[in-house]
Amino acid sequence: MEILSPEDRVVLWRAAVDAEGARRETLVRTIAKEIFESLGALDMYADRYAQLTIESLGILDDAGLFASDSLRRCLEALHEPGGGVELLAAEIAGLLRDAAGIEHLGVQRRIRAVEMASQWREHLLLREPAEPGYLSVADVAARYGVSTQAVYKWLSKQRIAGTRGPGGSWRIPAAQFRSDTRPAATRERLDALQAQLISLHDGSDLPAEEELGGQLRTGG
Amino acid sequence: MRVEFDTTVLWGAFHSPSGPCFSLLALAAQRTPVLDGFITDVIGAEFWWRATQQGVKGPGQRVARTYSEQELGPFLETFEVLLAPTSMARAPLSRSLGQNASLVGLPLGEIRVLRPAHLAGELGLIDTVGTAARVVPGV
């Protein structure tokens, strides 16, 4: 396995962003391969995850989110110790949730984006934490279905507690997320609801005939 | 941060499940330490009445439409945790908060009613909106 340098990965990403048509598709797949070959750290090294990676980047590209600066930063840091691959996986999950809101993708691909975000999330949360009692930025982002940038913002504004570890990565005490014991909605349920609502509003800009008739009769 | 959600936020979440309103409700419903959000009984009742009786227009919709209990069910069941009795007792005045803040027994500043986009920006859920967040009493 040949690992690209951080600079090479950014050059590759930039080339993909600037390219069009078949060349762009090829470059996006090359980046997907680079990511996929790093996923062993997440125990995701199987064919179906190669497909998940390729499909995820494809949807992000069609949604106009492949060129996100946050994705570039995570690609650059992919092989950094302290969870580079986890950060990238969490960022892809967050971007997929954003993609679910891009209407031109169509209902089926928007729902698929939610499903894939859930898959990335599950595999992040299933692995053993690097340090018992502490979470990483990727863990928190995956747990709550937000972007890694949101978690960095919570840390910088001290909305959640965290300290920098020896390597510079954040150590976030897990206990602070268990202090609220009120009933809560699970992320799985929220993902299912998101998909249901996308489906419910499919074509909802076209009023039903009886509704339109009622509006016309009342002069609405 | 303690926040009361009004029907604007509920409708925003219902119509745009990838938008900032959905993200805010989701954060609060998961009991994240960054957002203590709740819905009062009055807000819930208003949402239900508009959804089932009056009808509402979503983004891009030309006419208002109503929704069946079956269509509303998953949404309300998921976010009913925000209507928990423990939340209700803490905000009994609901929408009249602005006019009757003294009756709540809390300084107004302890309950923040912010525009959803500002709040989502503050929490990093969307790119920060240019203007500063401001308190809007009695939405």
Side-chain angles (χ1 to χ4, degrees):
Chain A
M1 180 175 89
E2 187 178 340
I3 294 177
L4 296 176
S5 71
E7 295 77 17
D8 287 344
R9 281 194 295 276
V10 172
V11 168
L12 188 61
W13 171 81
R14 252 184 235 293
V17 168
D18 292 338
E20 289 180 1
R23 178 171 159 74
R24 184 181 180 107
E25 196 176 323
T26 303
L27 289 169
V28 170
R29 278 177 173 264
T30 306
I31 291 172
K33 183 169 177 285
E34 175 73 8
I35 294 172
F36 168 64
E37 288 180 345
S38 305
L39 291 178
L42 294 179
D43 296 327
M44 295 174 79
Y45 202 79
D47 284 349
R48 63 191 167 124
Y49 293 114
Q51 188 54 41
L52 174 67
T53 310
I54 290 168
E55 195 180 354
S56 296
L57 292 194
I59 283 191
L60 293 185
D61 195 24
D62 291 345
L65 296 170
F66 180 77
S68 304
D69 203 44
S70 59
L71 186 62
R72 178 195 60 77
R73 281 197 299 270
C74 288
L75 274 172
E76 198 172 4
L78 180 59
H79 296 297
E80 279 184 9
V85 67
E86 286 89 348
L87 273 178
L88 179 62
E91 190 59 31
I92 289 174
L95 287 171
L96 283 168
R97 288 184 200 287
D98 292 341
I102 306 293
E103 293 204 2
H104 74 73
L105 287 179
V107 169
Q108 292 310 317
R109 294 191 82 204
R110 291 170 65 199
I111 291 174
R112 181 70 187 130
V114 176
E115 290 170 354
M116 289 194 296
S118 297
Q119 288 175 35
W120 285 103
R121 172 187 173 280
E122 279 168 21
H123 286 279
L124 276 166
L125 295 182
L126 282 175
R127 78 195 201 293
E128 288 290 316
E131 188 180 359
Y134 289 90
L135 301 174
S136 66
V137 168
D139 292 330
V140 177
R143 176 183 289 212
Y144 294 119
V146 299
S147 69
T148 55
Q149 298 310 305
V151 180
Y152 284 126
K153 193 160 191 174
W154 298 352
L155 286 163
S156 70
K157 295 200 173 245
Q158 297 180 334
R159 294 192 190 283
I160 57 174
T163 53
R164 294 274 193 182
S169 56
W170 284 96
R171 299 166 71 239
I172 304 171
Q176 64 188 310
F177 302 105
R178 295 192 291 263
S179 59
D180 192 335
T181 56
R182 291 175 292 174
T186 63
R187 189 66 237 180
E188 290 81 0
R189 182 161 195 169
L190 290 161
D191 286 344
L193 174 64
Q194 196 176 5
Q196 282 170 337
L197 290 175
I198 290 170
S199 180
L200 174 65
H201 299 306
D202 180 22
S204 60
D205 56 328
L206 302 174
E209 279 184 29
E210 57 188 19
E211 289 174 325
L212 189 55
Q215 290 280 326
L216 292 172
R217 279 193 296 279
T218 58
Chain B
M1 187 191 303
R2 195 171 172 213
V3 173
E4 176 187 8
F5 297 120
D6 73 358
T7 46
T8 312
V9 180
L10 294 182
W11 281 116
F14 186 74
H15 283 128
S16 303
S18 300
C21 292
F22 189 95
S23 299
L24 290 173
L25 288 182
L27 269 191
Q30 292 176 96
R31 305 298 184 200
T32 56
V34 299
L35 183 63
D36 179 7
F38 58 89
I39 301 165
T40 63
D41 50 351
V42 175
I43 298 297
E46 181 183 330
F47 178 82
W48 179 259
W49 177 74
R50 288 199 67 189
T52 59
Q53 305 294 317
Q54 189 191 41
V56 68
K57 281 185 194 176
Q61 292 176 338
R62 286 174 288 169
V63 295
R65 64 158 292 185
T66 56
Y67 293 90
S68 66
E69 285 186 31
Q70 194 178 12
E71 288 171 320
L72 293 168
F75 182 81
L76 293 174
E77 285 161 16
T78 302
F79 292 121
E80 73 178 350
V81 294
L82 298 175
L83 267 168
T86 50
S87 296
M88 309 269 278
R90 290 158 64 188
L93 295 177
S94 184
R95 299 190 66 146
S96 57
L97 176 67
Q99 288 75 36
N100 300 288
S102 62
L103 299 177
V104 181
L106 292 170
L108 183 58
E110 287 198 22
I111 296 181
R112 302 180 74 191
V113 185
L114 302 175
R115 294 185 186 281
H118 286 139
L119 184 54
E122 273 194 29
L123 294 174
L125 303 176
I126 56 172
D127 286 341
T128 308
V129 180
T131 51
R134 66 187 181 96
V135 173
V136 184
V139 174

